[in-house]
Amino acid sequence: MNPTIELLKSHRSVRKFTDQKLPPELLRELVSAGQAAASSNHVQAYSVIHVTTPAKREQIAELAGGQGYVASASDFLVFCADMKRPTDASERTGANVVRGMTEQLLVASVDTALMAQNVAVAAESEGLGICYIGGIRNNPQAVSELLELPEHVYPVFGMCIGYPAHDPDVKPRLPVEAILKEDRYTDDREQVDAYDDEMHRYYGERTGGTKDTNWSKSLEPLFDTKLRPHMRDFLVKRGFEMK
């Protein structure tokens, strides 16, 4: 391994931060590093809202499901898929712009995720900690209104960022054999079963035996209670009509 791979494999979600704020020039460098990520057709369909007003941070923390570290983190960013800037720019050239296509939603969402992950890696290379906050999609309309997001822009996720006040363990990942497949899709039940055993031990050790679960069991909310059925109507209202 080299230092870059070691850094990538040492990622942890950090939820406790010191009071030290990021120097403005460092934040700009992190965002600039984010912009260096690959972008479909160089469209750069993203915007980042640096939320600094304490009252807004408190509101977002509640809207995200009561995640207090949104308010207490050194800094907090909201990464937005932004098709307004590129469509407006193209339209100003006289192009026949068609809005609301599913492909545009995918491009903007993927661009935003790639850009944010670059920011995360750049931050961790500086000794900072980060935590993605997908919970802002619990109430995306309220978050959009709070941040005054225009049509064709939607909040994909937030990111707590700052100087860590704790040192959590690295959470085990699925074995590479379950992910990397040769030429065709193959069954990975055996690898998943082994991983469930590993995650059961991990959760037990991390919580002193109070959390009795594994990876497969922990997925239940994604397919049961965290379905967020409101997202489709919300995205349509944002101008992403998914035609």
Side-chain angles (χ1 to χ4, degrees):
M1 290 198 301
N2 61 47
T4 301
I5 293 176
E6 290 178 0
L7 173 67
L8 290 167
K9 295 178 73 171
S10 69
H11 166 72
R12 292 83 49 84
S13 290
V14 172
R15 295 178 173 86
K16 296 179 182 178
F17 302 89
T18 70
D19 293 333
Q20 183 179 358
K21 299 292 185 183
L22 271 67
E25 60 274 15
L26 175 56
L27 179 60
R28 288 182 61 87
E29 281 300 312
L30 298 182
V31 173
S32 179
Q35 290 181 269
S39 171
S40 180
N41 280 348
H42 201 50
V43 70
Q44 303 170 79
Y46 43 68
S47 286
V48 182
I49 311 295
H50 182 207
V51 185
T52 58
T53 305
K56 285 190 176 183
R57 292 266 293 270
E58 292 282 355
Q59 285 179 268
I60 294 174
E62 287 306 308
L63 292 169
Q67 300 188 63
Y69 29 91
V70 170
S72 62
S74 312
D75 291 81
F76 183 69
L77 308 175
V78 177
F79 289 83
C80 303
D82 185 351
M83 266 295 168
K84 181 181 187 301
R85 181 190 305 111
T87 50
D88 285 357
S90 182
E91 201 165 47
R92 285 195 295 270
T93 70
N96 177 34
V97 170
V98 178
R99 291 181 168 86
M101 302 302 294
T102 299
E103 174 67 4
Q104 294 166 359
L105 171 62
L106 290 172
V107 164
S109 300
V110 171
D111 264 21
T112 303
L114 293 173
M115 188 269 188
Q117 186 61 12
N118 259 29
V119 172
V121 174
E124 290 173 339
S125 77
E126 287 288 329
L128 300 167
I130 70 100
C131 182
Y132 282 99
I133 305 296
I136 64 169
R137 297 193 304 278
N138 291 349
N139 294 283
Q141 184 60 40
V143 171
S144 298
E145 292 171 0
L146 186 65
L147 301 180
E148 301 178 35
L149 303 183
E151 191 178 32
H152 300 113
V153 179
Y154 87 93
V156 184
F157 42 69
M159 183 186 288
C160 297
I161 185 169
Y163 296 91
H166 70 148
D167 186 21
D169 292 333
V170 175
K171 186 178 289 187
R173 261 44 177 187
L174 282 161
V176 173
E177 292 75 15
I179 305 298
L180 181 61
K181 304 175 188 292
E182 293 290 336
D183 291 329
R184 63 187 180 88
Y185 195 95
T186 52
D187 182 75
D188 46 37
R189 173 68 182 270
E190 184 178 340
Q191 290 90 350
V192 169
D193 286 345
Y195 181 59
D196 276 339
D197 291 340
E198 182 182 10
M199 287 303 295
H200 184 265
R201 289 192 296 272
Y202 167 80
Y203 284 128
E205 292 171 1
R206 193 181 74 171
T207 64
T210 61
K211 190 171 183 178
D212 182 17
T213 190
N214 58 32
W215 179 71
S216 294
K217 291 179 181 177
S218 69
L219 298 175
E220 182 179 355
L222 181 63
F223 304 107
D224 182 17
T225 58
K226 290 187 177 180
L227 300 174
R228 297 182 178 125
H230 55 265
M231 283 301 298
R232 185 183 186 282
D233 288 343
F234 164 74
L235 289 169
V236 169
K237 291 176 181 177
R238 287 273 104 194
F240 295 96
E241 298 174 29
M242 293 177 280
K243 294 181 280 189

